[in-house]
Structure formats: C-alpha cells, structure tokens
C-alpha cells in the first residue's frame, strides 16, 4: 500500500500524481456507463446527490453538470490530496452546487465527523447516492451502508459500480504472466481488508436493510491491440506491479515477463484482454421509516 499526504491518505493504489492521471484516463473510459446508470436511475436537474469515495472528483464534476445550479452534489473523500484536487476543480468551474468534504467512509462515526453538521448527512435529504470501486476497499461495509440508509430519502436510490468477479482479469491466449499479476493483486486487496468481489454481497446486504434491488447489469471489459481498454489494463499492470514488487508479492522477473507478454499481444490480432467484471447495481430505499 502506498502513501499520500497523511496516514489517512493511505490507499492500496496510492494518491500520487501518476495515479491521479491513471484515474482520469480510467474515468474517461467508464464515464458513459456511469452516466447511463445515473440516467436510468432518474437523475436530473435540481436533485441532491452523494458521491461516495469521490477521489479527485471526476464523477462529482459530471454529476454537478447534470444536476445544475439548482441541485447539490456532496462529494465525500478520505484522501486530503484528492479532496484538494476536487475542490480546486469546483472552484475553477465556479460550481457552487458541488461541495467536497473529507470523510473516512470506513469509519462507523463518519456521519458524525467534525465539520459535517450542516452537510445534511444522515437526515434523509438526498435523492441519489453513487459509488464506484469504493466498497471493495472497505474492511467494514456497515458504516457505508448505514450512511446510505440514513442519508437517502425514502424512495431515493443507490447506484454502485463495484466488481463482482475480479478473477476474470486476464490476457489471452498467452496469459501466464498476467495471471500471476492478477493473483498477487487479489491477494493484496484481501490482505488490506478489502473484497474485490464485493458486489456478490451488496445486493443481499441492501435487501436486508429494506432496499428494493431494481437493476443488476454486468459490465464486462474486453480490449485488443492498443485500443483504450487494452491500454487501461496495461497501465494498471505496469503501475500497480511496482507496488506488488514493493510488497514482495511479485518480482522484477514477473514484471519483465508481463511487459513482454503485453508487447506481443499488441501485435497479435488474436490476442485480447478481459478485465474484471463490474456489476452495475441500483437499489431503492423503501418508503417506510
């Protein structure tokens, strides 16, 4: 696990500028799927939205555009570096409808954190809550689910894009080196307290809290040659491979073998990547108390 500005900024994937750039490119790829899911959930002007685990604020900016000046986006993020980046972007755009607060969403007292008195968290005032690749990193899900349950209005919706089958990550047909990377990455997520397949559990946990499960849509990933999806997966192997070497889960020889396999795949018309399968989940809070 790499470190950002403070101990609270410690992330499996880090918060350094190179990682922020990777997140920007990643968001551009996944942006259409996110916007489509929000639109299916009924997102529109004037709504109140929670962006949970907002990172540098890429989704928060899109949400702010979509809800307009009459709405409100409250973006919650643990990392001080990411909070600063998201606030700076909101200031540049002049978006008074976007507020960014530093909150540890794995903390059972998150909704009662200092400085959140006027945020509206826990008061049932939000129409939509959104997260992407947040729950998979949380050692405890109850704080997040408690916050969603108390912050959404009756009939409000949670939209979550989380992985359901990380083991599908692979490069074919010559995938031995990438398979070693996949297994090391999964182990690193689990040893840090996360669950890379967390969306296997989320629908049941939400249903037990009185949410209606309205949508479960798999979002598979396939990349070929040097297309954007292949480049995204290559970049992740290269960048996170360094961290796996630091953790002692992978070796320089593994990294060289993976680089060679990726180079061959770019030139092989029969080679292709399969990414970890994401599940788009939409759950609606019940109308009762």
């Amino acid at each position: 696990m790499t470190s950002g500005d403070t101990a609270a900024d410690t992330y499996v994937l880090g918060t350094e500028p190179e990682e922020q750039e990777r997140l920007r490119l990643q968001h551009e790829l996944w942006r259409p799927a996110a916007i489509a899911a929000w639109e299916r959930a009924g997102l529109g002007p004037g709504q109140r939205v929670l962006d949970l685990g907002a990172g540098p604020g890429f989704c928060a900016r899109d949400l702010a555009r979509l809800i307009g000046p009459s709405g409100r986006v409250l973006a919650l993020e643990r990392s001080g570096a990411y909070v600063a980046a998201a606030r700076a972007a909101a200031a540049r755009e002049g978006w008074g409808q976007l507020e960014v607060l530093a909150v540890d969403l794995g903390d059972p007292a998150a909704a009662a954190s200092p400085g959140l008195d006027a945020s509206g968290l826990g008061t049932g005032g939000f129409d939509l809550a959104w997260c992407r690749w947040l729950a998979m990193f949380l050692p405890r899900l109850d704080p997040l689910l408690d916050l969603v349950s108390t912050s959404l209005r009756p009939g409000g919706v949670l939209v979550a894009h989380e992985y359901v089958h990380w083991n599908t990550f692979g490069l074919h047909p010559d995938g031995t080196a990438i398979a070693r990377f996949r297994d090391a990455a999964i182990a690193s997520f689990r040893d840090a307290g996360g669950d890379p397949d967390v969306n296997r559990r989320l629908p049941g946990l939400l249903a037990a809290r009185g949410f209606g499960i309205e949508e479960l849509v798999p979002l598979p990933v396939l990349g070929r040659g040097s297309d954007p999806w292949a480049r995204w997966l290559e970049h992740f192997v290269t960048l996170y491979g360094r961290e796996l070497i630091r953790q002692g889960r992978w070796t320089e020889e593994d990294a060289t073998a993976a680089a060679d396999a990726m180079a061959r795949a770019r030139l092989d018309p029969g080679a292709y990547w399969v990414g970890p399968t994401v599940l788009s989940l939409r759950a609606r809070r019940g109308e009762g108390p």
Side-chain angles (χ1 to χ4, degrees), residues 135-208:
M136 68 171 286
F137 292 115
L138 298 179
R140 302 180 303 276
L141 293 177
D142 280 343
L144 174 66
L145 299 180
D146 289 345
L147 185 62
V148 169
S149 297
T150 57
S151 295
L152 284 175
R153 64 170 174 77
V157 295
L158 168 68
V159 177
H161 282 185
E162 297 280 353
Y163 290 116
V164 69
H165 198 178
W166 222 94
N167 204 49
T168 55
F169 188 105
L171 177 61
H172 306 286
D174 179 16
T176 303
I178 301 304
R180 289 198 297 269
F181 170 86
R182 176 199 65 213
D183 294 343
I186 289 173
S188 76
F189 299 151
R190 294 196 183 280
D191 288 350
D195 178 1
D197 298 327
V198 71
N199 232 354
R200 298 181 186 185
R201 297 188 288 133
L202 279 177
L205 293 172
L206 288 162

Side-chain angles (χ1 to χ4, degrees), residues 82-247:
Y82 286 168
V83 167
R87 285 175 175 169
R92 284 195 303 271
E93 297 292 340
W95 287 332
Q97 70 266 38
L98 172 55
E99 181 181 7
V100 187
L101 296 178
V103 178
D104 182 353
L105 291 166
D107 182 353
S113 298
L116 298 186
D117 295 343
S119 70
L121 283 177
T123 62
F126 289 88
D127 301 293
L128 184 144
W130 156 255
C131 67
R132 180 171 63 192
W133 304 319
L134 165 67
M136 68 171 286
F137 292 115
L138 298 179
R140 302 180 303 276
L141 293 177
D142 280 343
L144 174 66
L145 299 180
D146 289 345
L147 185 62
V148 169
S149 297
T150 57
S151 295
L152 284 175
R153 64 170 174 77
V157 295
L158 168 68
V159 177
H161 282 185
E162 297 280 353
Y163 290 116
V164 69
H165 198 178
W166 222 94
N167 204 49
T168 55
F169 188 105
L171 177 61
H172 306 286
D174 179 16
T176 303
I178 301 304
R180 289 198 297 269
F181 170 86
R182 176 199 65 213
D183 294 343
I186 289 173
S188 76
F189 299 151
R190 294 196 183 280
D191 288 350
D195 178 1
D197 298 327
V198 71
N199 232 354
R200 298 181 186 185
R201 297 188 288 133
L202 279 177
L205 293 172
L206 288 162
R209 290 169 176 263
F211 280 73
I213 308 304
E214 294 186 340
E215 179 179 271
L216 296 170
V217 176
L219 303 175
V221 171
L222 191 141
R224 297 183 62 198
S226 294
D227 72 15
W229 292 103
R231 292 199 304 272
W232 174 56
L233 295 169
E234 280 192 14
H235 195 187
F236 180 69
V237 171
T238 301
L239 184 62
Y240 196 49
R242 300 174 198 164
E243 175 59 19
L244 294 176
I245 291 172
R246 193 195 70 77
Q247 292 180 12

Side-chain angles (χ1 to χ4, degrees), residues 27-54:
H27 175 68
E28 290 303 314
L29 282 177
W30 285 95
R31 183 175 181 267
I35 291 176
W38 302 337
E39 290 176 344
R40 292 195 302 272
L43 180 71
Q47 290 195 344
R48 297 151 298 175
V49 180
L50 274 177
D51 183 0
L52 302 165

Side-chain angles (χ1 to χ4, degrees), residues 45-71:
Q47 290 195 344
R48 297 151 298 175
V49 180
L50 274 177
D51 183 0
L52 302 165
F58 298 120
C59 283
R61 298 174 213 176
D62 287 332
L63 289 163
R65 292 187 191 98
L66 291 168
I67 55 93
S70 63

